[in-house]
Amino acid sequence: MAELIYSKAFGAGEEIFRIGDRGHNAYFIEKGGVEVLIPGENGQEIRVATMGAGEIFGEMSMIDDAPRSATIRTLAPTELIVIQRSQFIRPLEANNPMMSLILRILTARFRDARQQTNSDLGDGDGELEQSLEELRVLAYERISIEKDMRHGLETGEFQMHYQPITDLESGEIAGFEALMRWIKADGTFVSPVEFIPLAEETGLIVELGRMALETGLRDHADFLAARPDGYAANPAPFMSVNLSGLQILELDEIGRLENIINQSGIDPSLIKLEITESLMVENFEHACTALGQLKDLGLFIAIDDFGTGFSSLSYLHQLPLDTLKIDRAFVIQMDQSEKGLRVVQSIAQLSTALGLSIVAEGIEEKEQMSALKEMGCHFGQGYHMSKPLPRDGALELMQTGPVW
Ligand code: C2E
Ligand code: CA
Ligand code: CA
């Protein structure tokens, strides 16, 4: 399959396209620069603009498929990110014809306005230019990070780390949470807090999510095998994998996740999927259907970051949930005031009443661990026990059979 976004290098003085060509691609300038040329008198070309790194050109013809209105030539060795019509506009036409119509109308109006501005008004509308400039900067950032992420996915820059979740009663490892890490080839670390939202916006979360499940389950087979005799034997430790609600917008994806589970050979009852409450509440009916289908695979479902999304309890009890993860913010507040303590207590009581198991997140001190155990929380996770570890570190930890 052709790549969605790719880079292409050009020498100085090369023509990217000519006036009158059909426009299939738009281009972001990564490095170098180009000139924009229109025909002048006596067949000479007039340079009407130059563009440099971070600027986009060719986007209008890409949208409305109209002939190019200028010739573009490189001024220096130049690298361009190519955005293809077939990959961006065609799917939009098929899936969202109204949106693609609106885009075409806007493009036509813009062409019109630009022509008038050029001929009558001279300098152009400052405000419009400025908001377009802001949009351009945003679009450029998005497109380059998406390109980096795709590249990273292909070259194995995304890895899974594992944080133990402990059984507060026995102090043994009850499971792990798989947490994604992006370590770029040059060693830069990008936090999931940064890249997961971008992956959600670009749709790349679907592929990343599959990778998380596949890798998490493969590594879990090793963790299970590494347990010392009799350690955390009953029940065997689970693997918790984060699932973005956007991964299951299309129900077809559930079939793909099922394949990954089947191929892993891991008993589905040792798999837990963590989903944040906000995404469940946004489209409640769809969430019910999707979670129901996931449950039918025999796995468990946790509501993540509980308490941060203002979800209504009346909604929650209708969802097929097994576990509630109390957000770290509550565990912190618990130490700070009597009220904070009572909030955690009531969440714990509520969960018990609904038959849900509870994981308290972000335990950084021994006292928090004991207090949460007192309140009836079943599981705990946090730096006090262990930070998330690379696969080999988690494997070693399991081999030592720790008790906290
Ligand atoms: P989360 O699912 O709530 O994961 C728990 C986060 O809390 C992790 O941050 C973990 O390192 C951190 N944490 C655990 N114990 C402590 C503690 O005692 N103190 C403090 N200060 N932090 C603690 P991390 O790994 O940076 O992940 C951030 C978020 O990114 C996750 O929050 C999750 O929402 C998202 N994420 C990570 N991996 C994935 C993934 O594979 N798929 C999806 N959809 N989201 C992911
Ligand atoms: Ca989580
Ligand atoms: Ca969480």
Side-chain angles (χ1 to χ4, degrees):
M1 201 186 82
E3 268 186 272
L4 194 58
I5 301 169
Y6 61 94
S7 290
K8 205 170 166 185
F10 293 86
E14 272 194 69
E15 223 165 64
I16 311 299
F17 54 70
R18 277 202 77 72
I19 187 162
D21 285 355
R22 282 283 297 282
H24 297 295
N25 303 327
Y27 303 86
F28 266 115
I29 306 173
E30 268 198 304
K31 281 192 201 130
V34 300
E35 54 182 344
V36 183
L37 304 160
I38 57 169
E41 282 164 25
N42 315 327
Q44 280 188 326
E45 287 178 317
I46 307 173
R47 180 199 282 184
V48 288
T50 58
M51 287 192 247
E55 297 202 82
I56 187 172
F57 62 88
E59 75 287 0
M60 290 204 292
S61 296
M62 181 187 73
I63 292 169
D64 62 10
D65 212 12
R68 303 290 194 187
S69 57
T71 297
I72 303 282
R73 190 181 298 139
T74 54
L75 287 166
T78 296
E79 276 176 40
L80 301 176
I81 300 177
V82 185
I83 305 159
Q84 305 167 80
R85 178 163 215 282
S86 57
Q87 303 277 12
F88 278 83
I89 302 299
R90 295 241 177 81
L92 186 66
E93 278 168 352
N95 294 318
N96 196 337
M98 184 52 80
M99 192 59 187
S100 108
L101 186 66
I102 290 173
L103 258 182
R104 277 165 182 260
I105 292 171
L106 286 177
T107 311
R109 288 216 179 122
F110 186 71
R111 278 187 197 281
D112 223 35
R114 201 162 68 167
Q115 256 168 13
Q116 280 181 21
T117 315
N118 284 346
S119 52
D120 317 334
L121 302 172
D123 255 358
D125 180 336
E127 231 171 88
L128 176 68
E129 293 287 321
Q130 202 188 336
S131 55
L132 283 174
E133 171 66 15
E134 281 164 15
L135 269 180
R136 185 186 63 69
V137 170
L138 258 183
Y140 181 68
E141 281 173 4
R142 287 291 144 79
I143 212 94
S144 29
I145 199 157
E146 183 177 348
K147 186 174 82 80
D148 285 358
M149 274 167 80
R150 283 191 179 278
H151 176 76
L153 191 60
E154 279 155 22
T155 56
E157 289 178 2
F158 289 92
Q159 309 173 5
M160 300 311 293
H161 282 201
Y162 302 95
Q163 187 176 32
I165 297 174
T166 55
D167 180 330
L168 291 179
E169 197 56 49
S170 68
E172 295 181 338
I173 292 178
F176 289 94
E177 175 173 4
L179 293 158
M180 201 178 287
R181 299 287 176 260
W182 183 10
I183 300 153
K184 293 190 182 179
D186 64 4
T188 334
F189 176 90
V190 189
S191 163
V193 180
E194 253 177 78
F195 72 76
I196 294 286
L198 284 166
E200 291 184 329
E201 270 176 44
T202 55
L204 214 61
I205 192 68
V206 176
E207 274 171 74
L208 281 176
R210 283 181 207 151
M211 185 282 278
L213 185 67
E214 199 176 325
T215 313
L217 297 184
R218 192 192 320 126
D219 290 341
H220 196 46
D222 297 337
F223 299 161
L224 289 172
R227 262 176 312 161
D229 278 346
Y231 180 79
N234 196 21
F238 56 83
M239 178 56 73
S240 235
V241 180
N242 291 287
L243 187 85
S244 162
L246 298 172
Q247 282 175 255
I248 46 171
L249 270 186
E250 308 281 344
L251 291 173
D252 285 354
E253 182 62 14
I254 295 174
R256 289 190 202 102
L257 299 177
E258 183 181 9
N259 283 340
I260 293 175
I261 292 171
N262 289 342
Q263 277 168 16
S264 77
I266 297 280
D267 179 348
S269 72
L270 300 183
I271 303 170
K272 211 179 261 197
L273 298 178
E274 299 191 0
I275 310 180
T276 56
E277 57 177 338
S278 54
L279 289 161
M280 298 194 203
V281 177
E282 270 164 31
N283 191 343
F284 183 71
E285 276 183 27
H286 180 80
C288 283
T289 314
L291 295 193
Q293 290 189 14
L294 286 170
K295 281 287 294 181
D296 289 344
L297 305 180
L299 45 77
F300 289 89
I301 294 176
I303 183 166
D304 204 355
D305 303 341
F306 179 78
T308 58
F310 304 105
S311 57
S312 140
L313 297 173
S314 59
Y315 274 84
L316 276 190
H317 85 269
Q318 297 174 45
L319 291 165
L321 304 173
D322 304 285
T323 301
L324 187 150
K325 294 193 81 173
I326 303 185
D327 194 68
R328 188 167 80 88
F330 292 98
V331 175
I332 294 171
Q333 278 166 27
M334 191 178 78
D335 286 348
Q336 289 168 351
S337 70
E338 185 58 31
K339 254 192 195 162
L341 189 76
R342 281 206 293 271
V343 170
V344 179
Q345 259 168 350
S346 40
I347 297 176
Q349 280 162 7
L350 166 87
S351 312
T352 312
L354 293 175
L356 303 174
S357 66
I358 312 159
V359 182
E361 296 188 293
I363 301 179
E364 293 188 356
E365 282 147 32
K366 196 174 186 333
E367 295 71 39
Q368 291 172 326
M369 193 175 71
S370 328
L372 288 158
K373 182 178 156 185
E374 282 295 299
M375 284 180 215
C377 290
H378 309 98
F379 304 108
Q381 178 180 359
Y383 294 173
H384 169 65
M385 290 77 113
S386 166
K387 288 198 170 181
L389 302 167
R391 175 200 170 273
D392 291 351
L395 193 69
E396 270 172 40
L397 183 74
M398 183 58 121
Q399 281 162 345
T400 63
V403 178
W404 283 280

